[in-house]
Amino acid sequence: MTVRCGAALAALLVATTPARAHDVASGIGGFYGGLLHPLLVPTHTLALVGLGLCIGQHVSRQRAVLLTLFGVSLVAGVIMIVSAFAVTAAEYAILAVAAALTAYCRRDWQRIAVRVAGSWIAASAILVLALRLAR
Amino acid sequence: MNARRLAACLVTVLLAATPALAHTGSVAGGFFGGLAHPVFGPDHVVAMVAVGLWGAFLGPPAIWLLPVVFPLVMAFGGVLGIIGVPIPAVEAGIAASAVVLGLMVALKARPPIWIAAALVGAFAIFHGHAHGAELPAGADAMAYSLGFVIATGALHLCGIAFGLLARWPAGRIAVQTAGGAIALAGIAFLAGLR
C-alpha cells in the first residue's frame, strides 16, 4: 500500500506544471501578490483548509511526529519567504490555522464540526470541478 | 453648515447617483448568489430543515451523519445538473422530499441509519440537480458552490437546533408538529406543480 501511495504521489508530482498564478488584486504583484494568493483565491484557500483539517484529525494519534513535521515545515516556509516564494508563507499560515483548530477539537461536537466542514469543502470542490470541466 | 444646506447637499448627491451595474463573476457576488439560492426556494428550505429535524430526532450518529451525507450527494446531483444529465420530475422530487422527510419526523420513524442515509441521499440528488442546472453562467464557481453548500448546511443546523427540543416531552410534540407542517407544505408544493 505504501509503495502504491508513493508511486501515485510520484506520478502526481511528475505531472505537475507551473502554476502561472494570476494577479489576485490588480496592482499587487510580486511578493505581496503571492502572499495574498492563497488567501484571496477561494479554491486555493479551500484546498489548504481541507488539508489542514485532515492533518489536524490525525494529530491525536501521531502527535509528536506530525507536530514536529509541522514545525519544520513552518521554518521551511519562513526560509522560503526570505527566498521570495511568498505563496508558501500564506499557505502555511492557512494550513496552520486549520490544523490547529482541528488538533484541539476534543469534544464530540467539535469533531462533528470538522467532519461537517470537510463534507462542505468536498461538496464545493466536486461542483467546481464539474463546472470547470463543463465550461 | 446648517441642517438645510446639509440636506440640499444630500439630495444633490442622491439625485446624481447612477445604477451600480454590478459586474458578474466576482467572488463576493458568486458567494452571496449561492448563499441566497437555497434560502429563497421555500421547497428547498423546508426539506433542508426536515433533514436537520430528523437527524436530531434520531440522535447520534444520525444527527451528524445525515447533514454530512446530504451535501456530498447533493454535489453529485449538482454535477448531473451542470453536465446536463436529465433527471425526470426534479421539482416533484424536491416537493416529495419535504413530504417524506416531514412525515418521518411527524411519525417518529426510526429506520436503520443506512436506510435513513439512503433516503436523504436520494432526495439530495434532486436538490443538487436543481441547484446545478440553475447555476448562473457568470458566477464565480467556487464562491457560488461554497455559498450554496454553506446555506444548505445552515438550514440543516436550524433543523437540528429545533430538533434538539425533542429531548423534552413538550418539545417532542413541537418537533413532530413541525414535521407534519413540513409534510403539508410538501403536499402543497406537489399540488402547485400540477
Side-chain angles (χ1 to χ4, degrees), chain A residues 119 123 126-127, chain B residues 37-38 43-44 47-52 54 65-82 87-98 100-101 115-133 148-149 152-153 156:
Chain A
S119 84
I126 291 169
L127 285 164
Chain B
H37 196 257
D43 45 353
H44 288 295
M48 302 295 123
V49 172
V51 170
W54 200 25
L65 191 66
L66 298 187
V68 165
V69 165
F70 196 94
L72 289 173
V73 186
M74 186 178 74
F76 176 68
V79 171
L80 296 180
I82 289 164
I87 291 184
V90 170
E91 293 302 322
I94 292 169
S97 71
V100 174
L101 295 172
I115 292 183
L119 195 62
V120 164
F123 286 129
I125 290 180
F126 291 108
H127 287 267
H129 192 279
H131 289 312
F148 97 65
V149 169
T152 301
H156 289 156

Side-chain angles (χ1 to χ4, degrees), chain A residues 1-10:
Chain A
M1 191 62 197
T2 316
V3 176
R4 273 193 208 167
C5 274
L9 194 65

Side-chain angles (χ1 to χ4, degrees), chain A residues 42-43 46 112 115 120 123-124 128 135, chain B residues 64 71 75 79 136-137 141-142 146 153:
Chain A
T43 40
L46 217 59
I112 291 168
R115 289 184 188 181
W120 290 5
S124 304
V128 173
R135 282 177 185 173
Chain B
W64 61 267
V79 171
M142 186 77 244
L146 201 60

